[in-house]
Amino acid sequence: MLTGTLAGQEDVFIDGTMEGTIELPDSDLTIGPNGNVKANIKARKITVFGRVTGKMFPAERIEILKTATVRGTIKTPRIVVEEGAVIHGKIESLGQDMKFPAAKQTKPLIIRQESRG
């Protein structure tokens, strides 16, 4: 499990457990199917396959897929929710892009939790 602040300028894939704060204003965040994230999140785009609890502020859009469970507050200009997704909380559609700096081309950062046993 990761605890603390994750900040950077690269795309991030989390497929494990994390608690804290995520700051990726120029980048995309994907929560994988095994992801369990408890955090306040700022990112350009957020895609959720797993579980997220907290406040989410995607600058461009959030995609909540059918395997996802989301609890908390979402403020975003665009939202996509697949049939079967579970959402508990508040969604505020802003109607226009939030202004973060322009994205840069970078290599993705992948965080995975591996089982030991």
Side-chain angles (χ1 to χ4, degrees):
M1 169 157 72
L2 293 172
T3 303
T5 299
L6 172 64
Q9 297 179 351
E10 298 186 18
D11 293 347
V12 175
F13 179 90
I14 299 174
D15 204 30
T17 304
M18 181 182 174
E19 290 186 24
T21 303
I22 300 173
E23 298 275 344
L24 303 167
D26 297 332
S27 306
D28 298 348
L29 173 66
T30 301
I31 309 300
N34 300 308
N36 186 5
V37 175
K38 294 180 182 176
N40 292 331
I41 303 169
K42 290 183 182 177
R44 181 180 59 211
K45 178 182 169 192
I46 302 171
T47 303
V48 183
F49 291 90
R51 303 174 68 88
V52 178
T53 301
K55 296 179 182 176
M56 290 156 273
F57 304 96
E60 293 179 8
R61 69 187 280 153
I62 185 168
E63 294 182 32
I64 303 170
L65 303 173
K66 64 184 175 184
T67 57
T69 299
V70 174
R71 297 179 186 275
T73 301
I74 301 169
K75 291 186 179 183
T76 183
R78 288 186 280 295
I79 184 168
V80 175
V81 180
E82 276 189 350
E83 184 176 345
V86 177
I87 302 173
H88 298 280
K90 179 181 175 183
I91 299 171
E92 185 177 336
S93 179
L94 302 175
Q96 63 181 8
D97 285 351
M98 296 168 59
K99 300 300 178 196
F100 286 145
K104 298 177 183 176
Q105 293 291 71
T106 57
K107 296 179 183 177
L109 172 66
I110 298 175
I111 299 172
R112 293 196 177 153
Q113 181 175 344
E114 295 185 22
S115 61
R116 296 179 187 177

